[in-house]
Amino acid sequence: MKSLYFLLVVIAFISCTKDQETNTKENINSPSVSTPNDIPFGVETPMAFVKGGKYVPLYGGKNKVVQVNNLLMDVYPVSNENFLAFVKQNNRWRKSQIKKLFADDNYLNNWKNDTLLPSTSKPNSPVTNVSWYAANAYCTCQGKRLATVDEWEFVAMANENNADARKIKAYNQYILDWYEKPKTFENQIGKTFKNYYGVYDLHGLVWEWTSDFNSILLTGESRSDVTTDKNLFCGSSSLNASDLMNYAAFIRYAFRGSVKANYAVKNLGFRCVKDTLNAKKP
């Protein structure tokens, strides 16, 4: 499986490099952009510095501690406008040309055609109906990658003022309330709160792909087919996880365990991260 994953990443990188060769000269002198309103593909998008640390994840019990290294994370999720620019430069990721191995029939199914957004979609709304393969290719083409589950959860446990707000009842209630709101994926990016690290929209807009989204399987089909904490099979049992306030996070893990890499879901988007062990906060 690891060999297959490596091969797919290499293929995505090669295809991206080839498609972008003609754009190198015009992109190299492009100005930096610091707002989510006009970020063409190929221009460095705003990223926030995240100082790494240790945390106890939902799965694995109270004794499991995960180390997350310093990284840069996109301040905003990838928008319709961002992804439109990407497919214009990378033909193989257009809806009419993408292979079924890499995306199901829902891939960009609301777009009018390969390069035309629907009239009901805002350019500055998060792109959705995008498969893991397409999201991974987009990040690779920018010299970035998708966050791991642990990296995403580490950053997402922060509210406006606290790096770890998981024990704050109001914060968890905010997340649970969002789960009940319809069509939040139609909202514009950058309209939720700015968290401790300067990142927007981790909660309140769309679900987001991670590189290892199905590394913790919560199928519920059999207690013998899962390698993680068996108490994570149902909502009531999830209260036995590392913290009683982690029910909001449990729902995310359950969702991740229900999707496959070629799925394109209407409320599932993504953002990119970049490794930066020695970087300082911009």
Side-chain angles (χ1 to χ4, degrees), residues 49 70 276-280:
F49 175 78
N70 294 352
T276 174
L277 295 177
N278 299 312
K280 295 181 179 180

Side-chain angles (χ1 to χ4, degrees), residues 28 72 77 94 151 167 195 200 263 267:
I28 195 169
L72 294 173
R94 297 184 179 189
E151 289 170 338
K167 292 185 179 180
N195 82 358
Y200 288 84
Y263 283 12
N267 61 345

Side-chain angles (χ1 to χ4, degrees), residues 62-78:
K62 294 182 179 181
N63 294 324
K64 179 169 183 177
V65 177
V66 173
Q67 174 67 47
V68 173
N69 293 325
N70 294 352
L71 59 90
L72 294 173
M73 175 175 280
D74 284 353
V75 172
Y76 311 102
V78 175

Side-chain angles (χ1 to χ4, degrees), residues 115-254:
T115 58
L116 187 61
L117 298 174
S119 56
T120 55
S121 291
K122 304 179 183 70
N124 201 31
S125 292
V127 67
T128 57
N129 288 112
V130 173
S131 69
W132 179 93
Y133 294 108
N136 186 66
Y138 178 100
C139 294
T140 300
C141 284
Q142 289 210 346
K144 303 178 184 179
R145 60 177 176 81
L146 291 170
T148 65
V149 168
D150 286 323
E151 289 170 338
W152 196 98
E153 291 291 335
F154 179 82
V155 182
M157 68 186 187
N159 66 0
E160 295 95 327
N161 303 310
N162 301 278
D164 186 353
R166 290 178 296 174
K167 292 185 179 180
I168 299 177
K169 184 176 180 179
Y171 176 64
N172 286 275
Q173 191 60 53
Y174 170 85
I175 299 173
L176 292 172
D177 289 344
W178 162 48
Y179 293 161
E180 298 180 356
K181 294 179 181 178
K183 299 184 178 180
T184 57
F185 56 87
E186 295 180 351
N187 298 335
Q188 296 184 56
I189 63 176
K191 300 299 183 181
T192 66
F193 67 90
K194 178 181 180 180
N195 82 358
Y196 178 84
Y197 301 103
V199 178
Y200 288 84
D201 304 326
L202 288 172
H203 305 293
L205 193 62
V206 290
W207 304 87
E208 296 185 7
W209 282 112
T210 59
S211 60
D212 53 345
F213 66 95
N214 60 356
S215 59
I216 300 171
L217 301 177
L218 301 173
T219 63
E221 296 174 358
S222 167
R223 287 181 180 267
S224 63
D225 68 357
V226 177
T227 59
T228 187
D229 189 342
K230 294 180 180 180
N231 288 327
L232 295 180
F233 268 96
C234 63
S236 58
S237 294
S238 73
L239 295 179
N240 293 320
S242 60
D243 193 287
L244 293 180
M245 296 306 297
N246 267 337
Y247 185 66
F250 167 78
I251 298 177
R252 293 195 295 275
Y253 284 100

